[in-house]
Amino acid sequence: MPPRKIIFEKQWFYLDNAIGHIYGTTFEVTSGGNLQPKQEVEETTAETKEAGTDNRNIVDDGKSQKLTHDDIKALKDKGIKGQEIVQQLIENSTTFRDKTEFAQDKYIKKKKKKYEAVITIVKPSTRILSTMYYAREPGKINHLRYDTLAQMLTLGNIRAGNKMIVMETCAGLVLGAVMERMGGYGSIIQMYPGGGPVRAATSCFGFPKLFFDNLHEFPLSKVDSLLSGTFSTETLPSEPEDNVLVEEESNGSTDEKQTSLQETEEEPTTEAAMEINQTEEQETMDVNAEDVEFKENKEKGYKENIREKQRKQWERRKKLIETAALLREKNADGLIVASKFHPTPLLLSLLEFVAPSRPFVVYCQYKEVNRVYYSAVGVINLKLSETWLRNYQVLPDRSHPKLTMSGGGGYLLSGITVVLDKGNSDSSNLEALKMEEPSSKRCKVQDLHC
Amino acid sequence: MSFVEYGDTIKDGDTAIVFLGHESMFPVKVQHGTVTQTKYGVIRHSTDLIGKKYGSKVTCSKGGWVFILHPTPELWTMNLPHRTQILYSTDISIITMMLELKPGSIVCESGTGSGSLSHALIRTVAPTGHLYTVEFHQQRAEKAREEFREHGVEHLVTVTNQDVCKNGFGVSNIADAVFLDIPSPWEAIGHAKSALKAEGGRICSFSPCIEQVQRTCLAMEEYGFTEINTLEILLRVYNVRTISLQIPDLGKAAEDNSSTGFDSRNTSNQGSPCANLQQGTVQFKSGVPLREMVGHTGYLTFATKS
């Protein structure tokens, strides 16, 4: 297999040399795209430090840097180490010596970031992946900020041994986070819209195969029939040929995007890379199969293909029956919803599968949508909340909150299920749930006064 | 019942949460023959609780009712007897994620305090992980041990009664993560480093004051920790209310009101503005922030040993 070229932050390199090093190792990118473990360099700032006290005499004439763009480009082209370029920039800056010590520090940091190409390879985790997704692909995870995800895992009491229901359209990130916290113990039922669950982010975690043994999936479109008792597998995979295709297409395309995302990220693990290669192989296989089908001349391949499809269908059906049975027990230990859909109908239906005295958490990017459910019955301790996250710069004499913070990381509606009163039959209760809370007179007066 | 495993029915010896109403609840130790007083009357454990399903509505002697809930670390945090200032679930959630805790993780914690964080840590690292928690206050250490026993998690936790700044965590090179909530965390950074696995791990320190954070960051740097990052997380809770605002009378004729810009046909119940022109008010649903919120608990400083 030829070495895979990774492109990250305008750099390109090969990962081969990283193998055998421990996670957390920092590498320098050399000219040939090879990685070289970075040596701990003692900062050579021991030389007599010269610094100004204020900027009253510093004038922005645009001529403080004596090196021209072409000079710098020439240095880079010669393959000179970033560290040395930074040193040259400092030496050729006429104002550097007049800057305050803090300003010098800042200048060096900025230049280092630009010229010193170092990458650190770290192990995937919910912390890393959720931070990464929020920074790079917030649209794919419905702008679910990582601290909001952290809240969901805690409020949902996610732990080993649970039987969880997860409905997400966050590229499989929420699913992965739940899987990490469950450590392969217990079971997860993922409800999916469309042709199949998207698990592009899940595959980045590099979970062992065992974690997938008790991961089930159930199509959202069959929830109503399951609840009303008309669910049957006979009506099910009559359309799977299209479905399977759609599923693989959509999975394929997200995986493709995932590849590019990973390439631009710092830790494409070999496992994740393998995963991608596998799906790619699968894809090409399917495409070939299609071709064969269209040509209709290679009978043998066609028959094998049919048999393979039937086998897959049968397996899908079997898994579906198992999952339906798991849901029918209506004893799940919690419900996590984080999707692009309106959460109220999801919650109203899916909560029926949850045992009493269990927590549920619903994420929505918008406060307005989440509060619609607020007045429902059958649940207690309802809370609509949001978290704010503020990062700090902590340096001697220069500590302060970071200049920018995220404006919004979404809203959570959480609560606990309870045993429904026997008086209300299920259906009438549902009707009551679907109705908006009658606007209370008491509120009116209070609200006007606040 | 256990804090690390759900049970369906309430049993003798369980710790259950009595839920009286909005934000009003308390823990109860279920015991045959015992009664618990609430403002809605008496709950008799033998008949009202034992054998019932968690999540049931229990009618008290005066006819009022309460819900009995299965304990979770989050409910415990809201109801535990305070022996110290405690960490709440908002901080706990980000600590758990940023320390990368999961089943099987080995965690060191100091001080144990009232055990609010401890219960959450144990929940997350169970069934194969372990918590080593250090508390220099003897009485608090003993009380914590007793609670862990009552809650069925004693096999997952070791409580040591010593000074973490002087004597460390009592373990070395086994932890995946260390958490410090002590007045002078910078004095324990060296011990934290030696408690962490040789191949590395994560550390978090919680401090209310920025001066503590600065000293801690310097110490972390000195001991070779990387990825040092300080953050603060704040929880905003919203009350959901139907608000109605009066339309000001600008002296227009009544017929002209229909052109005030509010779509009077749009009286759907999806929380969209609804103009009630007869009464001269506009109604809408809103998430209203609480009048007061927690503005600061502490700074959380995270770092990596690698």
Side-chain angles (χ1 to χ4, degrees), chain A residues 125 127 151 154 157 159 181 357 371 384-388 390 392 399 419 421 436 444 447-448, chain B residues 3 6 55 57 70 74 90 93 100 103 123 214 227 230 232 234 236 238 241-242 244 283 285:
Chain A
S125 67
R127 167 177 78 98
Q151 283 274 304
T154 297
N157 194 22
R159 62 170 174 212
R181 284 290 173 88
S357 198
R371 67 173 196 236
L384 178 60
S385 66
E386 170 198 20
T387 47
W388 282 5
R390 209 199 253 286
Y392 285 81
S399 298
V419 177
D421 269 348
E436 186 70 354
K444 228 184 245 171
D447 292 339
L448 277 174
Chain B
F3 271 65
Y6 281 119
K57 196 184 246 188
H70 197 288
E74 286 59 55
T90 313
S93 68
E100 304 188 336
R123 174 263 316 273
Q214 284 176 327
E227 259 192 289
T230 300
E232 187 183 24
L234 294 175
R236 277 173 76 80
Y238 296 93
R241 292 221 193 116
T242 304
S244 53
Q283 284 194 358
K285 285 209 131 197

Side-chain angles (χ1 to χ4, degrees), chain B residues 15-85:
Chain B
T15 298
I17 308 290
V18 180
F19 183 91
L20 291 111
H22 185 64
E23 299 274 299
S24 165
M25 46 187 149
F26 61 85
V28 62
K29 196 167 177 225
V30 181
Q31 272 174 314
H32 266 298
T34 311
V35 295
T36 299
Q37 296 286 344
T38 75
K39 61 177 174 181
Y40 301 122
V42 168
I43 302 171
R44 285 172 215 289
H45 292 201
S46 305
T47 53
D48 295 339
L49 298 183
I50 294 170
K52 288 259 176 70
K53 256 188 144 187
Y54 275 110
S56 299
K57 196 184 246 188
V58 171
T59 309
C60 308
S61 63
K62 286 184 195 163
W65 42 262
V66 298
F67 285 106
I68 307 296
L69 300 179
H70 197 288
T72 64
E74 286 59 55
L75 287 173
W76 182 245
T77 289
M78 285 191 264
N79 295 291
L80 56 83
H82 283 222
R83 302 183 283 273
T84 57
Q85 178 64 260

Side-chain angles (χ1 to χ4, degrees), chain B residues 201-244:
Chain B
R202 296 276 293 165
I203 185 171
C204 173
S205 169
F206 174 94
S207 296
C209 306
I210 197 74
E211 290 82 0
Q212 292 170 303
V213 175
Q214 284 176 327
R215 297 182 74 164
T216 307
C217 285
L218 283 176
M220 283 177 173
E221 220 164 297
E222 196 181 308
Y223 280 98
F225 282 93
T226 56
E227 259 192 289
I228 302 170
N229 179 27
T230 300
L231 56 84
E232 187 183 24
I233 185 168
L234 294 175
L235 179 73
R236 277 173 76 80
V237 178
Y238 296 93
N239 279 329
V240 175
R241 292 221 193 116
T242 304
I243 310 274
S244 53

Side-chain angles (χ1 to χ4, degrees), chain A residues 22-25 122-128 130-131 146-160 162 177 179-185 331 333-334 342 355-359 367-368 371-372 374-375 380-400 402 411 416-421 434-440 443-448 450, chain B residues 2-8 19 21-23 25 53-57 67-75 78 89-94 96-103 120 123-124 126-128 199 202 210 213-215 217-218 221 227 229-246 269-272 276 279 281 283-289 293 296 299 301 304 306:
Chain A
I22 61 162
Y23 281 111
T25 305
V122 298
K123 207 172 182 164
S125 67
T126 303
R127 167 177 78 98
I128 300 279
S130 60
T131 321
Y146 44 99
D147 53 312
T148 313
L149 177 60
Q151 283 274 304
M152 294 181 75
L153 298 170
T154 297
L155 290 173
N157 194 22
I158 311 297
R159 62 170 174 212
N162 278 5
M179 286 170 75
E180 185 186 89
R181 284 290 173 88
M182 291 179 53
Y185 301 91
N331 65 351
D333 294 320
H342 198 298
S357 198
R358 298 293 188 272
K367 184 165 62 179
E368 289 70 18
R371 67 173 196 236
V372 173
Y374 203 80
S375 47
I380 56 165
N381 209 30
L382 275 176
K383 203 152 109 184
L384 178 60
S385 66
E386 170 198 20
T387 47
W388 282 5
L389 189 70
R390 209 199 253 286
N391 278 286
Y392 285 81
Q393 165 179 305
V394 181
L395 290 169
D397 296 326
R398 278 164 294 162
S399 298
H400 58 73
K402 292 259 172 80
Y411 299 86
I416 301 169
T417 56
V418 287
V419 177
L420 276 174
D421 269 348
K434 277 173 188 157
M435 299 229 296
E436 186 70 354
E437 168 201 46
S439 56
S440 105
C443 267
K444 228 184 245 171
V445 180
Q446 274 179 358
D447 292 339
L448 277 174
C450 311
Chain B
S2 136
F3 271 65
V4 290
E5 203 180 357
Y6 281 119
D8 284 337
F19 183 91
H22 185 64
E23 299 274 299
M25 46 187 149
K53 256 188 144 187
Y54 275 110
S56 299
K57 196 184 246 188
F67 285 106
I68 307 296
L69 300 179
H70 197 288
T72 64
E74 286 59 55
L75 287 173
M78 285 191 264
S89 298
T90 313
D91 285 306
I92 290 173
S93 68
I94 197 93
T96 312
M97 183 198 264
M98 292 294 175
L99 287 182
E100 304 188 336
L101 301 183
K102 54 193 177 199
R123 174 263 316 273
T124 303
T128 46
E199 59 262 42
R202 296 276 293 165
I210 197 74
V213 175
Q214 284 176 327
R215 297 182 74 164
C217 285
L218 283 176
E221 220 164 297
E227 259 192 289
N229 179 27
T230 300
L231 56 84
E232 187 183 24
I233 185 168
L234 294 175
L235 179 73
R236 277 173 76 80
V237 178
Y238 296 93
N239 279 329
V240 175
R241 292 221 193 116
T242 304
I243 310 274
S244 53
L245 293 180
Q246 213 178 339
N269 51 16
Q270 289 299 306
S272 51
N276 190 338
Q279 287 172 19
T281 59
Q283 284 194 358
F284 58 93
K285 285 209 131 197
S286 181
V288 186
M293 63 176 267
H296 180 67
Y299 301 105
T301 302
T304 303
S306 53

Side-chain angles (χ1 to χ4, degrees), chain A residues 4 23 28 38 168 186 384 441:
Chain A
R4 216 158 65 99
Y23 281 111
E28 274 176 297
K38 189 174 154 57
E168 66 129 287
L384 178 60
K441 302 278 185 293

